[in-house]
Amino acid sequence: MNKSKNRDMNRLTQLPVKSIRRWLAGLVILFVVVPGCARTVQTNTSAGVSISVDEVASGLGVPWGMVFIAPGRILYTDRVGKIGLLDTGTGQVSGVSGAPQVKIGGQGGLLDVAVPPDYASKGWVYFTYSKDQDGEGVTTVARARLSGTRLSDWQDLLVTRSATGTGRHFGSRITFVGDNYLFFGVGDRGHRPNGQDRSTHAGSILRIHRDGSTPADNPFIGQDGVLPEIWSYGHRNPQGLTYDAVTGRLWEIEHGPRGGDEINLIQPGLNYGWPVISYGKEYTSLAAVGEATEKEGVEQPVKYYDPSIAPSSLLVYKGEAFPEWQGNLFAGALKLTHLNRIVLGEKGNAVEEERLLEGMKERFRSLVESPEGYIYFGTDSGKIFRISPAGAEEE
């Protein structure tokens, strides 16, 4: 050690203990906030696929929904009502103004964000959120235009009939089918009978046009006492919804009670059973929920989880970065803290499951695929990570 370094160390050792602690804390803060400092956190191999997992950003609240609006640009929602724009190359985040007034509480808040395939030409960004209605929360789907870091022309497209006094089970994910249709889910809002009550939007998957109007060929159009936007019903709390344009299949994942999380292949007009049938148990008594696990005229899940993984999102992988995963479903797990990969058969049956990244101990909240075919996931710890092939160049 040279004389200059000796003098620096001597000065440091002569400082009061509190000053030294403040100096060290400053170093830690600098390390945490500088974008791009945290790199590969884990490398794993699954089904012959070698992956790298990189931390892209942190300190983001709860990134509930994410969508790419351009290469390297993620628009994300924070459940407390904030919206951010993330540069995935630098980790820099810009706040976005123009968010709506959100009813925050329980499981409610600012929820999903999505853009249709023609976003570049039409410019609409779609959101779901919990809206205050006479002191109660209702799931609402809306859209706005994004210019730079400002939203304008906000439009509530459907303020659902789903009000209850609870802060539970709002849903809600968005997916698009074709050039004109938007699907989103609403949970039973903590009131079980809503699952079978078609005079409420709660406990249903809904289908509307992208301007908010109701398609004339929805399955319950013209039926007395049934809301026309309903596409399917009997759902507990759908927090994952995705459309596979290759197979034409609409997939949903929902929370069961104690056990009984479900992946469902959604078809128009069908009843998916909640709370009449379920593979779950009551939280306290552990008694079976509903009449049975099966019933004639009620759809069975493609896959159910017991114990629950607490699913939060759903993605059908389409990219080129991981050709071995094409057509697989990916679901985030909150309670069991992993990324769930589901291999599907030709008929849409679940043939294999793999649990990835369990060692991270993160609550996986949101998923999105990048234009390059990388998988990005957001966690309840306020971080966004990227999964890329091992050895791939960083963005």
Side-chain angles (χ1 to χ4, degrees):
M1 184 177 291
N2 60 35
K3 293 182 179 179
S4 176
K5 290 183 178 178
N6 274 324
R7 284 195 298 271
D8 291 341
M9 289 301 297
N10 288 336
R11 291 191 188 103
L12 179 59
T13 56
Q14 292 168 8
L15 288 172
V17 172
K18 289 184 179 180
S19 298
I20 293 174
R21 286 176 178 168
R22 285 195 296 268
W23 181 79
L24 290 172
L27 290 181
V28 174
I29 291 169
L30 282 173
F31 176 76
V32 171
V33 302
V34 174
C37 279
R39 296 312 310 158
T40 301
V41 298
Q42 183 168 347
T43 300
N44 204 347
T45 301
S46 65
V49 180
S50 184
I51 64 175
S52 292
V53 183
D54 299 315
E55 183 182 311
V56 179
S58 62
L60 307 181
V62 177
W64 211 97
M66 300 189 295
V67 66
F68 274 89
I69 60 169
R73 305 284 280 176
I74 289 178
L75 189 70
Y76 71 90
T77 57
D78 179 352
R79 191 165 57 193
V80 298
K82 298 178 182 179
I83 300 172
L85 191 58
L86 169 66
D87 184 317
T88 62
T90 66
Q92 294 286 352
V93 173
S94 303
V96 174
S97 63
Q101 187 70 35
V102 174
K103 182 174 177 59
I104 303 165
Q107 297 167 354
L110 184 55
L111 305 174
D112 205 16
V113 58
V115 297
D118 62 1
Y119 167 72
S121 59
K122 298 294 180 64
W124 288 110
V125 181
Y126 291 78
F127 299 87
T128 50
Y129 71 104
S130 54
K131 183 182 181 74
D132 186 277
Q133 191 172 77
D134 299 324
E136 297 181 330
V138 294
T139 301
T140 299
V141 63
R143 68 179 182 178
R145 296 187 186 275
L146 178 66
S147 177
T149 58
R150 179 175 177 78
L151 291 169
S152 61
D153 197 17
W154 186 276
Q155 303 173 10
D156 283 345
L157 300 176
L158 179 61
V159 180
T160 65
R161 298 187 192 177
S162 59
T164 70
T166 79
R168 301 192 297 275
H169 302 178
F170 291 89
S172 169
R173 297 286 175 186
I174 301 168
T175 194
F176 300 94
V177 176
D179 295 330
N180 199 22
Y181 300 110
L182 179 153
F183 289 78
F184 73 106
V186 183
D188 70 3
R189 295 292 288 106
H191 182 61
R192 290 183 178 181
N194 281 345
Q196 298 296 312
D197 183 358
R198 289 173 290 166
S199 68
T200 174
H201 290 119
S204 302
I205 304 298
L206 309 181
R207 180 198 191 220
I208 60 174
H209 287 303
R210 281 160 40 178
D211 64 0
S213 61
T214 304
D217 59 347
N218 271 6
F220 299 113
I221 290 288
Q223 292 192 25
D224 290 341
V226 183
L227 294 176
E229 297 86 2
I230 294 175
W231 186 256
S232 64
Y233 64 103
H235 301 287
R236 184 173 183 265
N237 191 22
Q239 285 199 350
L241 191 65
T242 188
Y243 177 66
D244 186 347
V246 175
T247 62
R249 292 173 179 146
L250 179 64
W251 294 100
E252 176 256 8
I253 193 166
E254 64 184 70
H255 291 262
R258 191 183 182 102
D261 300 339
E262 294 181 357
I263 295 179
N264 291 301
L265 178 56
I266 302 300
Q267 303 284 356
L270 297 188
N271 179 3
Y272 288 82
W274 178 256
V276 177
I277 65 170
S278 174
Y279 286 90
K281 301 289 193 296
E282 298 289 355
Y283 286 104
T284 53
S285 69
L286 301 185
V289 173
E291 301 173 9
T293 57
E294 298 183 30
K295 186 175 182 178
E296 186 177 354
V298 181
E299 293 302 299
Q300 279 288 296
V302 170
K303 179 178 176 61
Y304 70 90
Y305 296 87
D306 189 9
S308 293
I309 65 171
S312 60
S313 46
L314 194 63
L315 167 74
V316 57
Y317 184 75
K318 307 170 187 176
E320 299 293 333
F322 299 104
E324 301 90 341
W325 288 350
Q326 287 178 356
N328 290 182
L329 292 175
F330 286 84
L334 297 169
K335 180 181 178 181
L336 293 194
T337 61
H338 68 273
L339 181 61
N340 200 256
R341 183 176 73 91
I342 304 99
V343 180
L344 300 172
E346 291 184 2
K347 296 182 179 180
N349 54 313
V351 299
E352 184 182 341
E353 175 198 2
E354 183 178 21
R355 300 189 174 192
L356 302 168
L357 307 179
E358 292 177 290
M360 293 183 68
K361 303 300 182 184
E362 293 276 3
R363 288 169 57 88
F364 287 67
R365 175 64 63 175
S366 49
L367 294 171
V368 68
E369 182 182 316
S370 76
E372 305 93 337
Y374 301 160
I375 296 174
Y376 285 72
F377 60 92
T379 67
D380 280 5
S381 62
K383 298 176 182 178
I384 292 177
F385 296 86
R386 174 177 57 244
I387 301 175
S388 59
E393 293 184 2
E394 298 174 3
E395 295 179 21

